Amino acid sequence: MSATLNPNIFRAYDIRGVAERDLTTESVVPIANSFAAMLVDAGSRDVALGRDVRASSPRIAEVFRQALSSAGLQVYDLGIVSTPMLYYGVSRFQRGGGVMITASHNPSPDNGLKLLINDVAISGDRIQEIYQGAQAGRKIVADGGAVHTTDILDTYVTELTEQACIGPRALKIAVDGGNGMSGPSITRLLDRLGIEHIDLYCDPDGDFPNHHPDPTQIDTLVDLQRTVLEHGCDLGLAFDGDGDRIGVVDEEGRVIHGDRLVIIYAREILKEVPGARIVGEVKCSDTLFSMIEKWGGDPIMSRVGHSFIKATLRENGALLAGEMSGHMFFKHRYYGFDDAVYAAMRLLEIASNVPEDAPFSTLLADVPDTVTTPEIRVDCPDISKFGVVDSVVSHFRALRPVEDIDGARIRFENGWGLVRASNTQPVLVLRFEATTDAELNAYQSEIMEVVTAAISACDDSV
Ligand SMILES: [Zn+2]
């Protein structure tokens, strides 16, 4: 069987498109067969299957149940779960693979697939292999396959509850589930831990009727911020659509970005494991790396992107990694995948040990304040974006220290500027940090001038 597949849905880290256009049953059948064959090739015997609450998810799940079981695999169908619960099902029971049907925080007409071989999500070339196998109509048929329906929510929440070391302080927490997949597990966890919580939008609803479930977009946090202030909460927690990214606001409703969260976690881990390695991405604040060092840890800077961060965590034997976007990967006491409800539990442990009369924000009181820009996106064609970054690297290398693991992170006296090519779009992503606004502006204009010149030089040569 050959199918007409939209090649653009096969992205760097997952497969994602409009469900009724790109992921019709006719399109998903060859994708599922191709993945089943890849699992058999890898020697896998069993696979966990999960889905979010989107209207198209049950249909896509049915295709996978059939394809995986007819390839001779034992399919453990976890039903409606968050992405981390699917990862948990794979890691905890050492399944040979996993399929998560979700488009994370994308609008409700979209859907997507995250595919795992053993406990590693496939990316890049392996996703292209799925595409090629699907195009070629690759399919393995074998006896002995079966579908087993299992409910994992209780096992998952029980493990998190048993692990939690909650301190003496009575907490009041506001929770915004964004109608995504984390609502049922976080509310159940808070109940079991005996923590008072005020819930917003904790019932999964694939139409996301209240707001977009993406805590990196500050305007999605307005209701959470208001609730924290109205109810005098100690902090507020938000979750993205499929539950692998966390958003946090403090007692004043101020957003705590991903790199500042890693600082909070890192200090606790380093008390327990002196010298631990902790990973941040190249977009993170200098304060993250300097505070880890100050507390006796070993900070590691990673390239941007889920699979790079995970690989850096694994290869260095690090205990924690975090991204600006709110993905937090705990290898310390956990499996090393990004799980926002687990990250919430670790934050509750820390918050419940803050003295009664001190606000949550005291956890960052000794961390230097810096000024930063948000991510600045500059259009630049795919064909020239890497060339532009190369010429920025060579320009500044003659003048200043440059870290070039992912783009150019250029060091100035009191800060840095980053110029990198987006992994997924025809844009350059820039970010700046300094100790004062004046320095920030100076660094930004010096770098922008070089970037603009490099873009027009590339335009002329293409
Ligand atoms: Zn997500």
Side-chain angles (χ1 to χ4, degrees):
M1 174 180 171
S2 74
T4 313
L5 294 169
N6 176 359
N8 299 323
I9 66 173
F10 296 85
R11 312 186 323 154
Y13 304 113
D14 59 6
I15 297 168
R16 207 179 281 189
V18 178
E20 302 311 326
R21 183 191 69 200
D22 304 317
L23 294 166
T24 60
T25 300
E26 201 190 13
S27 305
V28 177
V29 167
I31 295 172
N33 285 332
S34 177
F35 180 59
M38 189 181 269
L39 285 176
V40 172
D41 287 348
S44 300
R45 293 164 187 278
D46 52 14
V47 51
L49 171 67
R51 65 177 200 271
D52 72 11
V53 281
R54 286 163 202 270
S56 55
S57 295
R59 170 177 66 74
I60 297 172
E62 179 54 26
V63 173
F64 270 91
R65 271 193 291 270
Q66 288 200 12
L68 297 166
S69 60
S70 62
L73 294 159
Q74 303 304 310
V75 182
Y76 290 88
D77 186 355
L78 310 182
I80 296 171
V81 288
S82 65
T83 297
M85 283 169 67
L86 184 277
Y87 288 156
Y88 175 81
V90 172
S91 296
R92 168 84 168 72
F93 300 101
Q94 298 183 332
R95 302 291 178 217
V99 177
M100 181 66 201
I101 300 162
T102 183
S104 184
H105 58 273
N106 276 31
S108 51
D110 287 7
N111 215 330
L113 303 166
K114 287 186 171 141
L115 304 172
L116 288 80
I117 295 181
N118 297 313
D119 60 351
V120 180
I122 65 167
S123 59
D125 291 348
R126 299 234 78 183
I127 289 181
Q128 288 306 313
E129 265 180 61
I130 299 277
Y131 172 58
Q132 284 146 15
Q135 285 286 64
R138 182 144 197 257
K139 182 177 180 179
I140 287 176
V141 178
D143 291 336
V147 177
H148 313 269
T149 304
T150 52
D151 185 348
I152 203 166
L153 179 63
D154 194 58
T155 314
Y156 170 75
V157 173
T158 300
E159 175 158 345
L160 266 54
T161 308
E162 285 172 354
Q163 223 197 80
C165 301
I166 297 299
R169 179 171 176 159
L171 295 171
K172 191 198 276 187
I173 306 292
V175 180
D176 186 337
N179 298 107
M181 298 309 306
S182 297
S185 47
I186 186 66
T187 51
R188 196 180 287 210
L189 176 68
L190 288 161
D191 286 344
R192 293 248 195 114
L193 295 175
I195 292 173
E196 183 181 355
H197 54 106
I198 294 139
D199 302 341
L200 297 169
Y201 324 133
C202 284
D203 295 324
D205 181 336
D207 289 328
F208 306 124
N210 292 293
H211 64 71
H212 199 54
D214 181 0
T216 49
Q217 291 185 21
I218 305 297
D219 59 347
T220 69
L221 298 173
V222 174
D223 292 351
L224 181 67
Q225 291 167 316
R226 197 194 54 237
T227 306
V228 165
L229 293 175
E230 266 176 23
H231 293 263
C233 295
D234 296 295
L235 72 153
L237 302 170
F239 300 88
D240 82 329
D242 66 335
D244 54 11
R245 290 191 289 123
I246 188 171
V248 178
V249 302
D250 72 8
E251 75 284 350
E252 303 265 353
R254 291 171 298 209
V255 178
I256 302 178
H257 292 290
D259 48 359
R260 313 265 293 174
L261 271 182
V262 178
I263 292 177
I264 293 174
Y265 293 129
R267 185 189 329 230
E268 293 307 308
I269 290 176
L270 287 165
K271 282 181 197 163
E272 244 180 83
V273 190
R277 292 186 173 148
I278 291 166
V279 179
E281 58 175 0
V282 71
K283 287 192 286 186
C284 291
S285 166
D286 264 354
T287 54
L288 166 62
F289 303 101
S290 59
M291 294 311 279
I292 291 170
E293 212 154 57
K294 184 177 161 196
W295 295 326
D298 184 1
I300 296 172
M301 197 183 281
S302 160
R303 292 179 67 179
V304 172
H306 202 254
S307 55
F308 295 121
I309 293 251
K310 261 182 150 167
T312 308
L313 180 83
R314 218 173 24 240
E315 285 157 17
N316 291 283
L319 295 186
L320 170 70
E323 293 182 38
M324 291 299 295
S325 58
H327 289 279
M328 298 289 145
F329 308 77
F330 283 88
K331 186 69 188 170
H332 180 245
R333 293 165 46 192
Y334 205 50
Y335 301 95
F337 59 78
D338 43 339
D339 180 340
V341 169
Y342 184 80
M345 184 278 276
R346 297 288 293 250
L347 203 59
L348 295 168
E349 287 185 342
I350 297 169
S352 62
N353 282 296
V354 173
E356 205 71 49
D357 52 351
F360 180 74
S361 57
T362 50
L363 289 166
L364 289 167
D366 59 343
V367 176
D369 261 332
T370 58
V371 283
T372 55
T373 63
E375 286 190 10
I376 299 164
R377 304 169 83 76
V378 178
D379 289 335
C380 183
D382 280 326
I383 191 166
S384 49
K385 65 186 182 185
F386 293 103
V388 168
V389 170
D390 285 346
S391 52
V392 172
V393 171
S394 53
H395 174 93
F396 280 103
R397 180 142 284 157
L399 306 169
R400 305 180 175 283
V402 178
E403 171 64 71
D404 65 351
I405 49 162
D406 186 357
R409 181 164 160 141
I410 301 141
R411 175 146 302 287
F412 291 83
E413 286 67 30
N414 291 310
W416 51 272
L418 175 73
V419 181
R420 56 178 293 275
S422 162
N423 291 333
T424 49
Q425 288 169 304
V427 293
L428 298 171
V429 182
L430 281 61
R431 191 169 189 241
F432 302 88
E433 178 177 41
T435 49
T436 65
D437 286 321
E439 289 163 343
L440 192 75
N441 292 335
Y443 303 164
Q444 188 169 343
S445 35
E446 184 174 340
I447 288 180
M448 278 308 290
E449 206 172 296
V450 178
V451 168
T452 311
I455 290 175
S456 57
C458 275
D459 280 351
D460 295 343
S461 66
V462 174

